[in-house]
Amino acid sequence: MGLPMALRLLEAGYDIDGFDVVDASKDAFVKAGGKWLDGFENVDVDVVFAMLPGGAEMKRFYVDEQKLFSKLKPNTLIVDCSTADPYDALGLYEQAKNQGLRFLSAPVSGGVVGASGGTLTFMVGGDAEDFSTALPLLELMGKKIFHAGGAGAGQSVKICNNMLLAVQMIGTCEAFALGDALGLDARVLSEIMSASSGSNWTLQVYNPYPGLMDTAPASRDYEGGFSVRLMLKDLSLAMGSMERVEAKMSLGSKAFEIYHKHFDNGFADKDFSHILTSLKR
């Protein structure tokens, strides 16, 4: 997701220094006019955007291995768009502050499609002044930008949202599976549900039934979207938060169980809407 986000900033005329572990991303970034970083020793930027897989990678990037915090000039604003445990984000915020830096946790919703189209939703946690500084840049990459509250609040909102998304996707897929068993035309069923009380984001934007929506991963053999691996990671974060605050979420826990089984069955790298295939079987 970092590549299309960076490309939108380049298109707006900003000078961008970039890095990615994926060679194809490097080629596309440089072709679009970005400057490639071979390391982080001489980074001289005003704002850092990072899109990392999770909390462990964030700690390695900022503190343990690349040690980016120690290499940035004072007052640099870091906008981290990864999804992690809220307490990990809070810890990094405090470490950044102690080193004279500014830090926002700004996880996103919308997937690769949203990143490419500039329609992401940003859920930002951190100081209000830093949010105001980042807002013009976020508006180039997203359609809806929310200041969720103080440090870690963006992560808290994100794991609540993705837990709901997982439950929503499973429910939508179960409806299609039942419709198939009843002999219904999936396109007709989708059209009617989208106009009825069952309407939801997965039906209208990310339809899990193959062939109904060209832009959805389901129409590309469930490739190139938000993987089962990542959904399971986010559900794991939700489970951890539940335990920490002693909450009980029956549907969230069941969604974690269902996606864990799908992961174990060998579908870790398929889009999370691929859960439809196991429900149909």
PDB file of all heavy atoms in Angstrom, residues 71 116 154 269:
ATOM      1  N   LYS A  71      18.072   8.880  13.751  1.00  0.00           N
ATOM      2  CA  LYS A  71      18.694   9.407  12.529  1.00  0.00           C
ATOM      3  C   LYS A  71      17.955  10.600  11.943  1.00  0.00           C
ATOM      4  O   LYS A  71      18.421  11.201  10.968  1.00  0.00           O
ATOM      5  CB  LYS A  71      18.795   8.286  11.490  1.00  0.00           C
ATOM      6  CG  LYS A  71      19.678   7.128  11.952  1.00  0.00           C
ATOM      7  CD  LYS A  71      19.621   5.954  11.014  1.00  0.00           C
ATOM      8  CE  LYS A  71      20.453   4.791  11.555  1.00  0.00           C
ATOM      9  NZ  LYS A  71      20.359   3.583  10.693  1.00  0.00           N
ATOM     10  N   SER A 116      -4.716   3.283  -4.117  1.00  0.00           N
ATOM     11  CA  SER A 116      -4.511   3.643  -5.519  1.00  0.00           C
ATOM     12  C   SER A 116      -5.423   4.786  -5.950  1.00  0.00           C
ATOM     13  O   SER A 116      -5.038   5.643  -6.742  1.00  0.00           O
ATOM     14  CB  SER A 116      -4.745   2.421  -6.414  1.00  0.00           C
ATOM     15  OG  SER A 116      -3.837   1.380  -6.090  1.00  0.00           O
ATOM     16  N   GLY A 154      -5.830   6.031  17.241  1.00  0.00           N
ATOM     17  CA  GLY A 154      -6.025   5.578  15.861  1.00  0.00           C
ATOM     18  C   GLY A 154      -5.970   4.066  15.766  1.00  0.00           C
ATOM     19  O   GLY A 154      -6.766   3.442  15.044  1.00  0.00           O
ATOM     20  N   ASP A 269      -2.361 -16.229   2.154  1.00  0.00           N
ATOM     21  CA  ASP A 269      -2.046 -15.123   1.255  1.00  0.00           C
ATOM     22  C   ASP A 269      -3.170 -14.788   0.291  1.00  0.00           C
ATOM     23  O   ASP A 269      -3.008 -13.910  -0.573  1.00  0.00           O
ATOM     24  CB  ASP A 269      -0.756 -15.420   0.494  1.00  0.00           C
ATOM     25  CG  ASP A 269       0.438 -15.519   1.444  1.00  0.00           C
ATOM     26  OD1 ASP A 269       0.532 -14.664   2.344  1.00  0.00           O
ATOM     27  OD2 ASP A 269       1.248 -16.446   1.296  1.00  0.00           O
TER      28      ASP A 269
END
